[in-house]
Amino acid sequence: PVWYPLNQGATLDWDEMDVHTVVGVMQLWFRELIDPLLTNDLFPSWIASCTENKIGKPEPSPQDLHRLVGRLPRYHRFLLQRFIKLLVGVASYSAVNKMRSSNLSIVVGPTILYKAAGPSTTVLDLPFQQTYAVVQGLIDHYGTIFADAEKEREQVVQVEVVAAAEGE
């Protein structure tokens, strides 16, 4: 498997890899995080942010998503912003790659938004439609949800650089 050399510290030529291999490695990495990217603690809030739209499908408001993103731990928020920006880029080529935000949400939703299953949880108990809706909303409303994310990240990096320089 491709992740074995990575775990050993090897450098791989990502440009030479099949796109499905790269996506598989990313999904595996996200699934092996101790806490999901959208966090176990916030899982109920992400799911509850979905209300039924006019045609009966779950749909979170951009305002609710923005508020929940703000509650994520700092580095989860930074990584989420970069990852969703990548997905927005992929979706921008949907005429060619057929990966609209709705398709991307099905592929990556359960990888970044899930709750550790309890002993009586079955796959039928998992809120897949809400999971997809949250991730699709993050992609579709990226500009609104992450409007101030880049500025915040730059400020944090500057503070950390100054703190590191003072510690030398």
Side-chain angles (χ1 to χ4, degrees):
V2 74
W3 57 87
Y4 182 77
L6 288 173
N7 287 339
Q8 304 304 311
T11 302
L12 300 175
D13 186 356
W14 294 102
D15 292 331
E16 296 299 318
M17 290 205 180
D18 174 67
V19 68
H20 298 96
T21 302
V22 175
V23 170
V25 169
M26 285 180 63
Q27 285 187 305
L28 178 66
W29 185 81
F30 277 119
R31 286 300 261 172
E32 289 186 351
L33 291 175
I34 294 169
D35 197 18
L37 185 58
L38 298 181
T39 74
N40 276 317
D41 288 344
L42 288 177
F43 181 82
S45 299
W46 290 110
I47 299 307
S49 73
C50 295
T51 57
E52 285 192 7
N53 63 17
K54 293 176 185 173
I55 59 172
K57 293 181 82 176
E59 185 176 328
S61 73
Q63 296 78 16
D64 285 343
L65 293 176
H66 182 273
R67 180 181 50 78
L68 287 166
V69 165
R71 291 177 55 196
L72 287 169
R74 176 183 295 157
Y75 293 104
H76 283 239
R77 195 168 55 246
F78 292 166
L79 179 57
L80 178 66
Q81 183 263 330
R82 293 296 184 147
F83 185 58
I84 298 298
K85 186 176 183 177
L86 170 70
L87 297 179
V88 168
V90 171
S92 73
Y93 291 95
S94 65
V96 175
N97 64 24
K98 310 295 186 226
M99 293 304 288
R100 298 183 321 263
S101 61
S102 58
N103 294 342
L104 290 166
S105 71
I106 292 168
V107 173
V108 303
T111 303
I112 64 172
L113 177 59
Y114 59 91
K115 178 81 172 154
S120 62
T121 304
T122 68
V123 84
L124 298 175
D125 296 328
L126 300 175
F128 288 114
Q129 294 303 317
Q130 289 87 346
T131 298
Y132 304 152
V134 166
V135 175
Q136 184 175 353
L138 291 169
I139 297 167
D140 289 345
H141 303 290
Y142 173 84
T144 301
I145 295 164
F146 296 100
D148 51 356
E150 200 61 38
K151 183 177 178 182
E152 177 194 10
R153 191 183 66 75
E154 288 174 11
Q155 290 172 342
V156 168
V157 168
Q158 287 175 352
V159 167
E160 290 176 350
V161 166
V162 169
E166 290 174 353
E168 291 179 353

